[in-house]
Amino acid sequence: MPTCVIYCPMPPNLDEVDALLRSGKHVITPVGWIYPYKQDPHSTDVISAACREGGVNFHPSGCNPGGIAERFPLTFTGWCNRIDRVSTLECGDCRAYSSPGVMMEIMCFGKTPEEAQNNPFKGFLSAGFFQSIDMVCRGIGLRCAELPIHPRIQPGQPAN
């Protein structure tokens, strides 16, 4: 019987994670709940209670979110005497990304802006970004009352 589960579905399911933790299994996941305390207090409460009941740990981690988007800004701002503003822009060259299902269906590459706007994964994708911002703000001692973020969905240009 496993004592640790690597949990990687898309999208993640809170009821499944809750059941795994309560059954006494540690859970490691790269999807969801990287830093949910502000954006998703319900999930935070469920996961915390399940960990206590099961006597286990929950370890959400990943490259982005969960790593680069949080650790780099926290490291780099640690070198500063004064911080006036923190800005974030996410860019990536996805030409060699080897998961067309993720790129086309989840991230809506090749879709119209209207199709992307109605994407059921849009909230899930945004949540990771918002959690990253919350983690960085907390780490550098800023209080983010409201996030002034309004994702723009617009047609892109094909890469050469």
Side-chain angles (χ1 to χ4, degrees):
M1 177 176 192
T3 59
C4 183
V5 174
I6 307 292
Y7 182 79
C8 304
M10 286 292 272
N13 181 304
L14 181 60
D15 292 335
E16 291 173 351
V17 170
D18 182 47
L20 288 167
L21 294 167
R22 288 180 192 278
S23 74
K25 292 175 180 64
H26 299 279
V27 174
I28 299 170
T29 184
V31 293
W33 310 297
I34 298 298
Y35 194 82
Y37 310 104
K38 181 176 179 183
Q39 299 296 322
D40 192 356
H42 171 71
S43 292
T44 302
D45 292 344
V46 168
I47 290 168
S48 296
C51 285
R52 282 191 300 276
E53 182 179 314
V56 294
N57 297 301
F58 179 70
H59 183 73
S61 186
C63 179
N64 185 19
I68 293 170
E70 302 83 16
R71 286 176 178 75
F72 280 13
L74 290 172
T75 299
F76 298 151
T77 57
W79 299 338
C80 301
N81 291 325
R82 188 179 102 204
I83 299 169
D84 295 320
R85 180 177 70 190
V86 176
S87 299
T88 302
L89 173 65
E90 183 173 6
C91 301
D93 181 353
C94 301
R95 289 177 290 185
Y97 192 70
S98 62
S99 182
V102 169
M103 297 304 295
M104 306 306 249
E105 298 306 319
I106 294 175
M107 298 184 77
C108 292
F109 280 60
K111 305 281 185 180
T112 67
E114 293 77 24
E115 289 172 310
Q117 193 66 39
N118 294 319
N119 178 2
F121 288 101
K122 187 175 82 174
F124 169 71
L125 295 171
S126 297
F129 189 68
F130 295 152
Q131 290 178 34
S132 295
I133 292 169
D134 291 339
M135 182 185 283
V136 170
C137 286
R138 174 100 188 257
I140 62 176
L142 295 177
R143 199 177 107 240
C144 296
E146 292 294 321
L147 297 175
I149 297 173
H150 305 286
R152 290 182 308 175
I153 296 174
Q154 59 192 42
Q157 298 299 318
N160 294 326

